[in-house]
Structure formats: C-alpha cells, structure tokens
Amino acid sequence: MHALTTKRLRLSPAIEVRDLPDGTRLLKQLVLTEYLALDAGQQRTLALFDGQKTVEEVLHDLLRQGAHPNIRAFYDLVLNALNKGFLEEADATDVTAPEISAVGESRGGSMAFSGVLILAGAAALWHSEFAPGERLEDWFKVLVFMSAGLSLAYALAASTLSRFGRQVYGARVRWDRLVPFFTIDVRDAFMGGRACEAAVGLRTLSGPFVVAALSWLADSNAGMLAAAFTALVLGSPFGSTPAHSLLHALFRKRYELPHCADEFLGKRLISQLLDWKRRVSEENYYLLHATYSILWLGTLFRLANSLMVAVGEQVVRTLSEARPPDDLAVSYIVFGLLGFGLAAIVVYALFLVVRGVQRHIATRLATTETRSLRNADAGARPTDDAAFEFLRQNLLFSQLKPEDLRSVVQAMKFLSVPADTMIIREHEPGDTMFVVYSGSVGVTKEDDAGLPVDVATLGRGDIFGEIALLEKGERTSSVRAREAASLFVLAKPEFDRLLASNLGSAAIKTAVQVCAFLRRRPLFADWHPQALMKLAGEFSFVDCKAGEVVIREGEPNDAFYIVYEGQFGVRKQGVTSATLKPGDFCGEISLLRDIPATADVLATHPSRALRLARASFLQLVSHDFFTGLAIDDALRARAGGKGAA
C-alpha cells in the first residue's frame, strides 16, 4: 500500500467518456476495453489525478478541503481505476487508442430488419408441431442446431455493433449453456447509446428465429425444437440477456446498472398490484418487465408440458409395441428432465406469489416493531434527572415546560437493542416514537425495485418514528441498529397526551423533521436551538418527481434549496456538471448576486427539498457569521461553473 501512496498518477488519454442523464459518467478504457461507472463524487476524485501529485497528496487535499472521503472507498476507487487502466503512472508511455468511427447504419432500418426476421421465425414456430426425438442422435441434432442458433445470434450482434461504429471484442467459444457456441462481449453497445443497445439486443434475438424459418423450409423437426429452446434462452427476462437489455434500453428512464427489474418482480409486484394508487418512477418499465416475465414463464411451461405429453405418448407407444427396454432409456431421461423443469416453474411461480403476498400482508401488521419492542432488553435506565437533562437538550423537547417534560420522562420506556436489530420496517403501521440515547441506528428506504438504500445514520439525541404518529400512516423508512443502542420509547397515547396536545402536531413535525435535519448539517451545527427552531419554521417542503426542474437556467430564482431526500442534478447548457445529495444546497448564487439562475437544477429521481424564500435567505446569511461565510465560500467555488444556480 505504501508503494501506491507514493505513486504519481494521471488519467489515461485512451478513455472514452459518456455522461448519462442521471449524472453517472461511464468511462471506457479503449485499449484494455474495461468499463468504469462513476458517481459525481468519484468523478471529482479522479479529476484530481493530474500526474503532479502523489496518491497520498490527493487524499490529503480532499481531507483538507472538507470533502471527508471514505478512505477505504478512496483506495478501492484508485486501485480499481489503476487495475483497469483508467489511471496510469505519470511517466507512462502514451498508447494510441483505436478510433471510434461514426454511426454507419440507419437505426430504424436495423431494428426494422430484425423485426422482420423475428416475425418470420415466430410464424414458422407457431405453425409447427414439436415432436421430441426418440433416439439419442435426434437430441444430438437439437444441440447442434442450438449451437448454430446461439452462434448466429452473436454473429448478428457483432455485425450490428460494427455498423454502429462500436468495438467488437471478446470473441470466444462458451460451454456454459449445455452446448458450445460462439459469443462476443456486447457491453460496448452501452457506449453507443440506447438506440445502439436496442438494435444489438433485437438483432441478437433474431438469431434463433432465422434458424426457425430455415428449419421450417427444410422441414427439420430438430431445427424447430432447437430454435424454440434458443429463443427461450436468449429471450429470458432474468439477468443480462438480450431481451432484458432491449427492455432496459427502450423503457427505462434512468439508465443505471445493474438491472433491478428482477428484484421488483420478486419483492414489489404483488404490493404494487394490490396498492395500485402508489406510484414508482419506473412503473411502466417494471410492470412491462413483470408482464413479459409471466408470459415467458407461461411459454416455457407450455412448451415443456407439450413435450412431456408427447414423450409420454412415445413411451406408451413403445411399450405397446413391445420394443426392447433400451429404446426407452432416452425417453425416460427426457421425461424426467421435463417433469423436473415443469415442477421448477410451478414452484418458482408459487414462490413469487407467496413471497409477494407475505410482504404485502406483513406491512399491514406491526410485526417488526412489536417483535423488536418485545425482545428488547430493558437495560440500565438513566436516572430521571439524567433523562430530563438529556431530553431538554433535544430540539423537540426543549419547547416543553419543565413540568411537562418531567411527565414525558415518566411516561417513556427505556430499551436496549443489540446490533443489527430491525426496529421498524418501512410500510408497516407504527405507534411508537424513539429517541436514541446511545449507539447508532441506520435509516434506509426501499427504492422502486425494493432494494434498500441508506438514507442516514442517527446517533445520540436523534428522533425517529414520529411521522407515522403524526400522519396516522405507515412507516416511511426502515430503521436498524448499526451497533448496540439504547432508546427512549414513547407510545402513541402518551405522545398525543403530552406532546401533540402541548406543542401541536405541525410544530412537532417541523421540529423533528426540519430542525433535526438542519442540526446535522455543518452550516447549522453551531446554531442555538431556539434560533434554529425559528429558522425551521421559515422552510417549506418541496416534493419533486423525477425530471422536475426547481431552478431553471437563465430565469429569475426566488428561493434557496437544501436537498432533504433523493438527488438533484445540476445542468449547465444541457451538460450535467454536478450532483446534489441530502445536505447539499443550491440557489445561493442567483440570490446573493441578484442575477438569473446560472444552471438548471432538477430531480434525477423522486426527491424532496427544503425551500427558503429570498427574504428569509438574506436574513439567514446575515444572522450567523459562520453560516454566511460558508455559503459565500460555496458561492465562490461554484462561480467558476462547477456549481448550481
């Protein structure tokens, strides 16, 4: 590791760059044909490697600038970029990279021709009756035709990549699908854009249908059977297959890797169908993928069932003709494999349904919260005086009169939970509020596909669980203990009697959501609780759909924004220049300089921001010296064109 820290590295000149609408930057190493996807923070980190500074000096600069990088993640990024050739030593010899030629094929023509091939092959398959072979050589012919169909599919993909001016590489023979076949690496289609990837995916899918059409003309039963199997293999919706790539390129709004529609099918489909009013940003893509998956499974089941019936008839016929037992060996093996396949399809379908229903029902019962409270250890409760002093420092409880606060202390339970305990789960009903006394807990929210995304880490004095009590709804996020933690717990009856009645629900919601959020931001870390409480009342929440613009370049702006949840992209003259995450702010340039907005700021996916009107913002920067100075420093840093509005 010491040898790495002393190296002077630079970005390789043999790199192709593609910026995606969601702020992700995809790099391709043109010589080594490696790929690297970077978020905004990683982009800024790699940009610092200019060949003049050592790795140690770059990390030191990041720490000194207050970027607070995760050191392990920093070295992981550097090692990955170095191993893949995106970073090289400063004195390395420049290597001439292959040129990327311009697109040479009509996009519409490419896809239209592929569509004709697929329709012709599909018509041939539709009018054919599949007769399974009775002898081993019959099934050997099927495997030979499958090998030819798979090889043809990837040969067509290579041809399409070349016509789009993309690189064809990774040609080899694979054996992982029961038969040997020629294949190529089609990842370079991603660098050619959605049209290129869609054309490559469609052309690859046309391979088995070409075999089907030729087999129909030649009256080859083995060829038709092989074409059907090959079409199912390439047309599978699961994993990185040509069919999934085609769906992904045509219908997904935010282009990101890896594919996540499989997760939606297994975790969210049932809930989405039963709770149809709930919307997700990629609903059309996910539901289309789920529909296609069900149709694909149905087609696979129908084909396997038809073949199983036909093989059964062959066995009965063979037995009635009193043939030697050796003639039945192949039929018995095929019959057993088909039976196993049918059972697997049924079990998988039942698993999806049962899992989806179980997840949906579980969110209607307070199972996780009830279980976590029941199994928690009572722990060594602090004295009432210690608890009083602890709660009095909290932004929410500081608003209570001393006598009311002591009533809250008496009403609260005290629990200790071990590390990795799920305390509350998203979408489940809840009737309890928690205050972290010691340790830490992690807050996660499920994305559209059902995958957990880290939102925040809460420590001593932070509150969670109050939103469901205020709005009488379901939990908005999941909370899990990241280490052994001690919690004060306030049940809903006491919450309503002691807090809501004294402060009002709106005041509690503002205090908890806004004040606690601002307190964790460096801008407001030193503010007095009363002043922060007053400022919090000036903010309002703004909920944004994916793609919604909150600040528009060249137009007047009358507000200051702080990202509360989600992610916003900063776009100057149509080019994404930065990504804003929770705690980042924008709008200060146009407000302080009284000029039109210098960039677009738009939500890259469903997000939430805190909005502060112009008059309140100007009062903010004049109220606290350090806050005003920090905002001014950000303004100066962004004035060069790297920041927002």
Side-chain angles (χ1 to χ4, degrees):
M1 185 62 74
H2 176 70
L4 173 67
T5 60
T6 57
K7 285 184 178 180
R8 299 181 187 276
L9 303 177
R10 67 177 183 184
L11 281 173
S12 169
I15 294 177
E16 181 184 0
V17 179
R18 183 174 181 82
D19 289 319
L20 306 182
D22 62 0
T24 301
R25 174 168 292 176
L26 190 72
L27 304 182
K28 177 187 176 183
Q29 222 291 346
L30 297 174
V31 178
L32 302 178
T33 59
E34 292 283 359
Y35 296 84
L36 191 64
L38 306 174
D39 60 26
Q42 293 170 326
Q43 293 171 36
R44 291 191 291 269
T45 297
L46 284 191
L48 296 175
F49 289 94
D50 56 4
Q52 303 300 315
K53 296 179 181 179
T54 64
V55 174
E56 181 182 8
E57 289 170 339
V58 170
L59 178 58
H60 179 72
D61 286 348
L62 286 171
L63 294 171
R64 188 178 58 190
Q65 294 168 7
H68 305 297
N70 181 295
I71 295 178
R72 180 181 294 275
F74 170 82
Y75 281 118
D76 285 345
L77 173 64
V78 173
L79 285 171
N80 192 25
L82 186 61
N83 291 336
K84 291 185 175 182
F86 295 98
L87 286 177
E88 61 184 19
E89 296 195 40
D91 56 355
T93 303
D94 288 344
V95 179
T96 302
E99 294 185 1
I100 303 297
S101 59
V103 174
E105 176 170 307
S106 166
R107 299 177 180 182
S110 173
M111 298 184 72
F113 180 65
S114 300
V116 170
L117 294 177
I118 291 174
L119 289 175
L125 289 172
W126 182 262
H127 291 91
S128 298
E129 293 184 3
F130 302 107
E134 299 183 24
R135 298 170 298 177
L136 187 61
E137 52 265 33
D138 295 331
W139 287 102
F140 179 75
K141 290 180 182 178
V142 173
L143 295 180
V144 170
F145 276 109
M146 283 188 65
S147 177
L150 288 168
S151 298
L152 175 61
Y154 283 100
L156 292 172
S159 172
T160 305
L161 274 174
S162 297
R163 290 176 179 272
F164 272 83
R166 301 312 310 172
Q167 188 176 1
V168 177
Y169 60 92
R172 60 190 178 92
V173 175
R174 289 173 57 179
W175 293 78
D176 57 347
R177 292 182 180 172
L178 301 179
V179 296
F181 63 97
F182 163 82
T183 184
I184 63 166
D185 191 331
V186 298
R187 288 179 298 162
D188 207 43
F190 181 57
M191 298 295 293
R194 288 180 183 266
C196 177
E197 190 180 27
V200 170
L202 196 61
R203 187 66 64 88
T204 308
L205 287 172
S206 68
F209 293 98
V210 172
V211 173
L214 295 176
S215 299
W216 181 74
L217 293 174
D219 194 23
S220 171
N221 179 70
M224 295 300 296
L225 199 56
F229 288 153
T230 307
L232 285 170
V233 169
L234 296 178
S236 171
F238 307 108
S240 297
T241 62
H244 198 167
S245 296
L246 179 62
L247 287 174
H248 197 263
L250 292 178
F251 297 102
R252 184 157 172 79
K253 299 174 186 174
R254 265 186 91 232
Y255 206 99
E256 61 182 9
L257 298 175
H259 299 300
C260 52
D262 297 355
E263 294 289 338
F264 178 86
L265 177 64
K267 293 182 178 180
R268 296 287 297 274
L269 177 61
I270 299 297
S271 295
Q272 189 66 28
L273 293 176
L274 295 178
D275 191 7
W276 55 270
K277 291 184 178 180
R278 177 178 294 163
R279 291 288 179 261
V280 294
S281 62
E282 298 286 353
E283 186 173 29
N284 291 338
Y285 165 64
Y286 287 133
L287 292 180
L288 183 64
H289 174 272
T291 302
Y292 177 73
S293 299
I294 294 170
L295 292 175
W296 183 86
L297 287 171
T299 302
L300 181 61
F301 182 88
R302 181 177 179 183
L303 177 62
N305 184 65
S306 299
L307 290 175
M308 191 174 179
V309 171
V311 171
E313 292 175 350
Q314 287 178 357
V315 171
V316 172
R317 186 168 58 252
T318 302
L319 291 174
S320 64
E321 295 173 355
R323 294 186 189 179
D326 292 344
D327 290 348
L328 295 175
V330 174
S331 296
Y332 282 146
I333 293 173
V334 173
F335 190 84
L337 291 174
L338 290 172
F340 177 80
L342 285 172
I345 296 171
V346 172
V347 169
Y348 179 69
L350 289 175
F351 167 75
L352 291 179
V353 173
V354 171
R355 185 187 188 191
V357 172
Q358 184 272 332
R359 280 175 56 89
H360 183 74
I361 294 176
T363 60
R364 299 301 185 267
L365 304 172
T367 54
T368 302
E369 186 171 324
T370 302
R371 186 168 58 251
S372 65
L373 293 176
R374 183 175 60 247
N375 296 336
D377 183 7
R381 181 185 176 97
T383 64
D384 287 350
D385 288 340
F388 177 87
E389 289 300 322
F390 166 71
L391 294 175
R392 192 164 62 88
Q393 301 301 317
N394 187 278
L395 289 169
L396 170 61
F397 298 103
S398 65
Q399 305 303 299
L400 290 172
K401 297 177 182 179
E403 58 271 21
D404 293 330
L405 181 55
R406 291 197 179 276
S407 297
V408 171
V409 171
Q410 294 294 326
M412 277 186 158
K413 295 180 180 179
F414 187 78
L415 301 175
S416 295
V417 294
D420 204 39
T421 299
M422 179 68 78
I423 303 170
I424 62 176
R425 191 184 299 276
E426 186 176 359
H427 301 310
E428 291 183 354
D431 58 359
T432 312
M433 184 182 76
F434 301 82
V435 185
V436 181
Y437 182 73
S438 66
S440 63
V441 299
V443 183
T444 60
K445 290 180 72 71
E446 286 189 352
D447 63 10
D448 288 348
L451 295 172
V453 178
D454 288 337
V455 174
T457 298
L458 305 181
R460 181 178 171 85
D462 286 327
I463 297 175
F464 63 91
E466 80 295 338
I467 301 303
L469 303 187
L470 292 168
E471 299 181 349
K472 296 181 181 180
E474 57 189 31
R475 295 298 193 188
T476 60
S477 58
S478 298
V479 179
R480 183 187 295 272
R482 293 193 170 173
E483 56 182 314
S486 298
L487 309 168
F488 279 106
V489 183
L490 188 65
K492 182 172 175 54
E494 286 74 22
F495 176 90
D496 292 336
R497 177 172 59 87
L498 299 172
L499 290 182
S501 61
N502 288 324
L503 298 179
S505 296
I508 297 173
K509 187 173 182 178
T510 300
V512 175
Q513 287 186 273
V514 180
C515 291
F517 175 80
L518 296 179
R519 174 64 77 192
R520 295 193 295 270
R521 311 275 75 83
L523 275 176
F524 307 100
D526 297 325
W527 278 54
H528 188 278
Q530 300 298 329
L532 195 58
M533 181 71 72
K534 182 179 179 182
L535 174 65
E538 302 291 332
F539 278 97
S540 59
F541 281 108
V542 178
D543 293 305
C544 302
K545 300 177 181 178
E548 185 173 342
V549 179
V550 294
I551 297 178
R552 196 173 296 278
E553 184 177 3
E555 296 185 4
N557 171 49
D558 61 353
F560 173 73
Y561 296 89
I562 302 177
V563 181
Y564 183 80
E565 285 181 352
Q567 184 173 288
F568 289 79
V570 181
R571 191 172 61 191
K572 286 179 172 256
Q573 299 178 350
V575 178
T576 300
S577 59
T579 300
L580 305 179
K581 296 182 179 180
D584 293 335
F585 54 84
C586 60
E588 78 286 350
I589 296 178
S590 52
L591 293 177
L592 290 176
R593 293 189 172 180
D594 196 21
I595 59 175
T598 59
D600 287 333
V601 178
L602 66 160
T604 56
H605 53 279
S607 304
R608 201 176 209 195
L610 288 170
R611 182 183 185 278
L612 189 65
R614 177 188 180 89
S616 299
F617 169 75
L618 296 178
Q619 202 170 25
L620 162 67
V621 296
S622 61
H623 169 80
D624 183 82
F625 170 78
F626 292 105
T627 302
L629 187 61
I631 292 176
D632 185 65
D633 286 343
L635 183 150
R636 292 177 184 276
R638 293 171 171 179
K642 298 181 180 180

